């Protein structure tokens, strides 16, 4: 076998040396070829990365995933929807429940109080023993309404009068337990004599078995209502003197005459005063505003001097607007009797301010006032009581509202009244 250079192998060692050299050569060639392939592969990869990076058609990011398919929900019932809404709005739900609950309780209490039968105490034989003095203008519809209601509930009602015309007005009702009581506040001697006779009527020695008892003195001052508003500069001294004497001095004198009898019988004193107009203190109503302020201070002072749980219950009713459907008959009767008086006397006399035609504004039923007055007489209600449409609202406006807002409201009311007056004149 030839060796390198075509010479034959001389020995086995030469053969092994030759094979070893072939192996080394093959390894070197294979390594060279592998290196060449790696270089080519690197160049191809770099070319592809450069081509892909510089291309404009290839998207930068992958497209968004498709939207999920809509979930199938079953319809929600009213109960479940309400429960869900309540759980999300707990504060609103609590406020609504409190408001509705309070309103329902007040309505229930009012209806329950209206269904309670209210009757004055009587003797065992059914004789009336409770007396109420209603000091108000006999021609006023409110005086008539209260006297008839108190008489129906078992009281003996006495209404102070100072003229034959007022006595005829009371007798026209034809009620056996509604009596006129002649009182002349301008004559101290006559007033004292009448009070002594009235005190003797209540003396237990005259009726030891069933004595009479003075339950309440109700003061309903006559409300001044001039034909047209007048400014303070237009009011004369005589106008002030007449108004203060009629609406303040006379009621105070009458109450002072009854005070000893009220204290001895522990009777209640009820003041019924209007509150809608005086609360706002409108201009051109000077007399009305002064009278209302004087009455307020008088009631406050009297409470501090007399009122206590063991003696006298002094209650002030602040009256709003009432339904006058039942008062038109009283107005017509008062006008008719006034006409008879003028005819018999031969002298013209204007209708009293308290007998002017009732307003057409619908207000609170008089039944609420009747129930409140009875509860105050028997001592179930004390302090200040607001009865009638607008009484509490007008009081709050006059006390807390800015004067500018009140003046703006009064301006709107004045313009509305002028417009209604013009429309009425055009219709005529």
């Amino acid at each position: 076998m030839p060796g390198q250079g075509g010479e034959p192998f001389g020995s086995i060692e030469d053969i092994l040396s030759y094979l070893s050299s072939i192996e080394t050569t093959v390894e070197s060639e294979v390594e060279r070829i592998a290196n060449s392939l790696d270089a080519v592969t690197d160049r191809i990869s770099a070319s592809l990365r450069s081509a892909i990076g510089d291309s404009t058609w290839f998207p930068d990011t992958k497209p968004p995933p498709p939207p999920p398919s809509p979930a199938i929900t079953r319809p929600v019932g009213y109960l479940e929807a309400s429960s869900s809404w309540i759980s999300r709005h707990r504060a609103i739900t609590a406020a609504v429940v409190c408001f509705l609950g309070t309103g329902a309780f007040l309505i229930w209490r009012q209806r329950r109080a209206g269904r309670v039968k209210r009757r004055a105490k009587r003797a065992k034989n059914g004789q009336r023993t409770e007396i109420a003095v209603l000091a108000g203008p006999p021609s006023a519809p409110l005086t008539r309404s209260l006297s008839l209601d108190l008489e129906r509930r078992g009281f003996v009602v006495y209404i102070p009068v100072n003229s034959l015309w007022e006595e005829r007005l009371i007798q026209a009702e034809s009620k056996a337990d509604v009596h006129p009581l002649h009182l002349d506040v301008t004559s101290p001697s006559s007033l004292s004599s009448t009070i002594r006779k009235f005190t003797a009527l209540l003396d237990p020695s005259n009726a030891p078995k069933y004595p009479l008892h003075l339950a309440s003195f109700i003061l309903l001052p006559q409300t001044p209502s001039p034909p047209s508003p007048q400014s303070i500069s237009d009011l004369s001294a005589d106008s002030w003197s007449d108004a203060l004497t009629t609406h303040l001095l006379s009621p105070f004198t009458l109450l002072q005459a009854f005070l000893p009898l009220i204290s001895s019988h522990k009777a209640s004193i009820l003041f019924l005063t209007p509150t809608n107009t005086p609360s706002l203190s409108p201009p051109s109503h000077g007399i009305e505003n002064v009278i209302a302020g004087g009455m307020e201070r008088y009631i406050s002072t009297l409470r501090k001097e007399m009122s206590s749980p063991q003696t006298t219950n002094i209650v002030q009713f602040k009256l709003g607007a009432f339904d006058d459907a039942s008062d038109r008959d009283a107005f017509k009767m008062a006008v008719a009797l006034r006409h008879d008086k003028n005819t018999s006397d031969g002298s013209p006399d204007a209708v009293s301010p308290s007998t002017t035609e009732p307003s057409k504004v619908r207000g609170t039923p008089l039944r609420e006032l009747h129930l409140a007055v009875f509860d105050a007489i028997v001592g179930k209600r004390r302090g200040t009581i607001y009865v009638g449409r607008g009484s509490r609202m007008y009081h709050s406006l006059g006390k807390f509202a800015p004067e500018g807002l009140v003046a703006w409201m009064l301006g709107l009311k004045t313009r509305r009244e002028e417009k209604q007056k013009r429309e009425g004149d055009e219709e005529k």
Side-chain angles (χ1 to χ4, degrees):
M1 178 176 297
Q4 294 182 351
E7 293 181 359
F9 293 106
S11 61
I12 297 300
E13 288 81 2
D14 294 335
I15 295 172
L16 295 175
S17 176
Y18 178 75
L19 292 175
S20 176
S21 62
I22 292 175
E23 181 180 0
T24 302
T25 303
V26 170
E27 290 178 357
S28 62
E29 289 296 331
V30 170
E31 183 178 358
R32 185 179 61 79
I33 293 171
N35 293 333
S36 299
L37 290 175
D38 290 341
V40 171
T41 303
D42 291 339
R43 287 195 300 272
I44 294 173
S45 299
S47 299
L48 289 176
R49 284 195 298 269
S50 177
I52 293 175
D54 296 339
S55 65
T56 57
W57 59 269
F58 199 78
D60 295 335
T61 58
K62 62 180 181 179
S69 58
I72 300 176
T73 58
R74 61 184 183 87
V76 181
Y78 289 106
L79 182 60
E80 295 181 357
S82 302
S83 302
S84 176
W85 189 90
I86 290 173
S87 62
R88 294 194 308 270
H89 305 85
R90 295 183 179 180
I92 299 177
T93 304
V96 171
V97 169
C98 291
F99 177 78
L100 295 178
T102 304
F105 173 74
L106 293 177
I107 294 174
W108 171 81
R109 189 177 65 174
Q110 183 178 7
R111 291 185 177 180
R112 182 176 177 271
R115 289 193 297 266
V116 175
K117 185 175 293 187
R118 293 170 170 83
R119 293 293 182 268
K121 295 180 181 179
R122 294 199 181 198
K124 293 182 180 180
N125 61 351
Q127 178 183 347
R128 300 187 180 211
T129 59
E130 298 292 312
I131 292 180
V133 177
L134 180 57
S139 58
L142 191 57
T143 304
R144 174 180 180 268
S145 176
L146 280 174
S147 63
L148 296 181
D149 182 76
L150 292 174
E151 188 272 340
R152 183 175 61 85
R153 297 183 187 278
F155 289 95
V156 180
V157 183
Y158 284 89
I159 302 178
V161 297
N162 55 12
S163 66
L164 294 177
W165 173 79
E166 292 180 344
E167 182 179 355
R168 289 178 56 194
L169 191 63
I170 295 174
Q171 292 174 350
E173 299 294 342
S174 301
K175 296 294 182 180
D177 293 302
V178 178
H179 308 283
L181 183 63
H182 289 275
L183 290 171
D184 187 5
V185 295
T186 60
S187 175
S189 59
S190 175
L191 181 61
S192 301
S193 175
T194 305
I195 294 298
R196 283 196 300 269
K197 293 178 182 179
F198 190 75
T199 304
L201 177 66
L202 302 180
D203 192 354
S205 60
N206 295 331
K209 193 171 182 180
Y210 303 113
L212 298 178
H213 173 256
L214 179 62
S216 179
F217 182 88
I218 305 172
L219 186 62
L220 180 60
Q222 185 174 341
T223 304
S225 54
S228 61
Q230 294 179 336
S231 61
I232 293 179
S233 60
D234 296 334
L235 293 172
S236 62
D238 293 337
S239 299
W240 281 107
S241 177
D242 294 341
L244 296 179
T245 301
T246 303
H247 305 293
L248 286 182
L249 184 59
S250 295
F252 295 166
T253 304
L254 185 61
L255 177 57
Q256 185 178 4
F258 276 91
L259 278 180
L261 193 60
I262 293 173
S263 300
S264 61
H265 285 258
K266 297 182 180 180
S268 59
I269 302 176
L270 277 59
F271 293 89
L272 279 69
T273 58
T275 188
N276 285 5
T277 301
S279 295
L280 301 180
S281 298
S284 302
H285 289 74
I287 291 180
E288 190 173 357
N289 296 335
V290 169
I291 291 174
M295 187 64 68
E296 288 282 344
R297 302 284 77 79
Y298 180 83
I299 295 173
S300 176
T301 304
L302 187 65
R303 277 176 173 168
K304 295 175 182 177
E305 293 179 357
M306 293 188 60
S307 183
S308 65
Q310 292 78 22
T311 56
T312 305
N313 178 27
I314 300 178
V315 181
Q316 181 184 10
F317 286 86
K318 294 198 172 185
L319 307 181
F322 292 95
D323 185 7
D324 54 17
S326 61
D327 297 341
R328 298 190 182 274
D329 294 338
F331 167 73
K332 296 177 181 177
M333 182 182 298
V335 173
L337 290 174
R338 173 68 72 178
H339 176 72
D340 294 343
K341 175 181 180 295
N342 297 341
T343 304
S344 62
D345 294 347
S347 59
D349 192 5
V351 178
S352 172
S354 59
T355 61
T356 53
E357 186 172 359
S359 173
K360 296 182 180 180
V361 179
R362 189 171 184 84
T364 304
L366 283 172
R367 173 178 168 80
E368 293 191 12
L369 177 63
H370 297 162
L371 299 180
V373 167
F374 182 90
D375 292 342
I377 291 176
V378 299
K380 291 183 178 180
R381 304 187 69 173
R382 296 176 175 271
T384 302
I385 302 175
Y386 296 88
V387 186
R389 181 180 180 183
S391 59
R392 190 179 295 275
M393 181 187 69
Y394 277 93
H395 174 75
S396 302
L397 283 175
K399 189 174 182 180
F400 301 108
E403 293 185 2
L405 176 60
V406 175
W408 177 75
M409 294 174 60
L410 293 175
L412 290 180
K413 183 179 180 181
T414 303
R415 289 193 292 271
R416 192 185 306 115
E417 291 176 351
E418 293 177 352
K419 181 179 179 181
Q420 293 176 355
K421 185 178 180 180
R422 288 196 302 269
E423 292 177 352
D425 295 338
E426 292 176 357
E427 291 178 358
K428 292 180 180 179

